[in-house]
Amino acid sequence: MATPLTPDQWLRILRAEGVRVEEYPGWRTRERDAATGKAFGPVRMFLNHHTAGRNARDVVAKNGVAGLPAPLAHVYLARSGVATMCSAGRANHAGPMAVNAYASFRDEKSTHPAPSKASGTVDGNDVAYGLEAENLGDGKDTYTREQYDAWVRINAAVCRFHGWTAESVGCHKETSVEGKVDPRGPVEGYGSRGRFEFTPARFRADVAERLKHPASWSPGSKPAPNPPKENDMALTPYDVWAYKGRAETRDAYAYLRSTEARLVELTGQVAELNATVARLAEQLADTTPQG
Ligand SMILES: [Zn+2]
């Protein structure tokens, strides 16, 4: 059924979804299938993590950590929003998943129970794609706007490809029987939304919204800029005379208008005086004895 994406399919769907993608050297063949004797797939869900550190791309893609060989995920997502492909095969990211939680993602249930070890476990690395998002994981470090946007796009791209709903998208803390807490922390913003706290439910809602649109869709823009100020260059003299100022500056415009009216009045009076002077000068000339 759900055969894992090939390297070429990964690149194609992520780029179609508007994700900036880089390829880690050797990623197309770096996997844990041969070493474990367990082939990756069929795939049933997408699992999200945080790195609990900075600049962990080499660790995730190639170096691994003590007792846990790389690759540690399929996708490494930097704070910049750039995704790096690390593997298309089996990756060490999910560990044991509680059966009750796993089943809710596999079956795309609308609710996801807390992971219960008593329900049994499955090897999550058999069945789940994994993404590591760069974040300190201390609950305070912020996911950037660019990072969260790409994160939603990546999850949506995979759901779109396999025909999954957003209920196939889970977080490590939702499946782990080892007390994992990832991902967590504040998000700088998304679409027209300002700062908010990452939660799996909200993340799924954002993926679900994205799936209602074509892959090329971009969520609502950033908040609209402030309306132009009165002293903007865009304000023309006509705007001033036409009394188009905002309420708080209308007194200033009224002053300008009354000054203009007074100037016109005075100019007219000066013209009348000039005419009178000219007429008197003419009369004076007429009465001056000719020499
Ligand atoms: Zn994790």
Side-chain angles (χ1 to χ4, degrees):
M1 269 288 281
T3 304
L5 287 154
T6 67
D8 287 340
Q9 286 171 334
W10 266 113
L11 296 176
R12 179 168 59 76
I13 67 166
L14 293 188
R15 286 173 178 149
E17 204 81 29
V19 180
R20 289 176 290 158
V21 189
E22 291 183 358
E23 300 181 71
Y24 199 91
W27 80 278
R28 288 169 176 266
T29 54
R30 193 170 288 118
E31 57 188 32
R32 296 293 301 158
D33 300 55
T36 60
K38 296 178 74 180
F40 180 46
V43 279
R44 303 295 188 194
M45 66 175 296
F46 199 107
L47 196 65
N48 294 284
H49 309 258
H50 65 216
T51 56
R54 287 268 189 270
N55 303 317
R57 193 169 85 144
D58 291 335
V59 170
V60 172
K62 188 180 73 175
N63 298 338
V65 294
L68 207 57
L72 301 184
H74 299 95
V75 183
Y76 174 80
L77 179 58
R79 284 170 57 78
S80 63
V82 172
T84 299
M85 290 311 306
C86 302
S87 179
R90 185 184 186 81
N92 271 328
H93 68 97
M97 297 200 286
V99 167
N100 69 326
Y102 164 61
S104 75
F105 294 104
R106 178 197 62 200
D107 300 339
E108 302 187 316
K109 301 291 189 192
S110 57
T111 59
H112 302 282
S116 164
K117 201 168 186 173
S119 68
T121 60
V122 297
D123 185 341
N125 298 331
D126 289 344
V127 291
Y129 293 115
L131 176 149
E132 287 279 358
E134 179 183 14
N135 187 276
L136 295 181
D138 57 6
K140 298 171 189 165
D141 190 28
T142 303
Y143 297 97
T144 68
R145 178 177 282 274
E146 296 77 12
Q147 188 179 24
Y148 189 84
D149 181 75
W151 202 352
V152 173
R153 290 174 189 263
I154 293 164
N155 276 259
V158 171
C159 289
R160 202 187 296 278
F161 179 86
H162 287 303
W164 295 345
T165 73
E167 303 300 341
S168 296
V169 166
C171 294
H172 202 187
K173 60 185 172 189
E174 295 182 296
T175 62
S176 173
V177 294
E178 301 171 310
K180 300 290 186 180
V181 298
D182 60 321
R184 65 175 177 184
V187 182
E188 196 173 77
Y190 175 65
S192 58
R193 194 190 311 152
R195 192 178 177 86
F196 63 97
E197 196 68 20
F198 180 97
T199 69
R202 196 191 305 244
F203 185 73
R204 274 189 286 276
D206 289 334
V207 172
E209 178 63 29
R210 181 162 191 88
L211 287 172
K212 294 178 190 168
H213 302 270
S216 59
W217 180 70
S218 280
S221 58
K222 293 178 183 179
N226 292 326
K229 294 189 172 65
E230 305 306 331
N231 60 359
D232 279 359
M233 296 300 287
L235 193 68
T236 66
Y238 175 81
D239 293 325
V240 176
W241 301 128
Y243 215 121
K244 287 184 175 175
R246 290 187 305 193
E248 63 266 33
T249 52
R250 281 188 179 172
D251 285 349
Y253 293 139
Y255 177 75
L256 285 171
R257 284 161 53 83
S258 65
T259 301
E260 161 74 357
R262 183 72 178 137
L263 184 62
V264 169
E265 187 184 336
L266 288 171
T267 302
Q269 289 175 357
V270 168
E272 280 180 21
L273 287 171
N274 281 340
T276 302
V277 168
R279 191 168 60 250
L280 289 172
E282 204 173 316
Q283 289 173 3
L284 188 61
D286 287 346
T287 56
T288 299
Q290 302 294 310

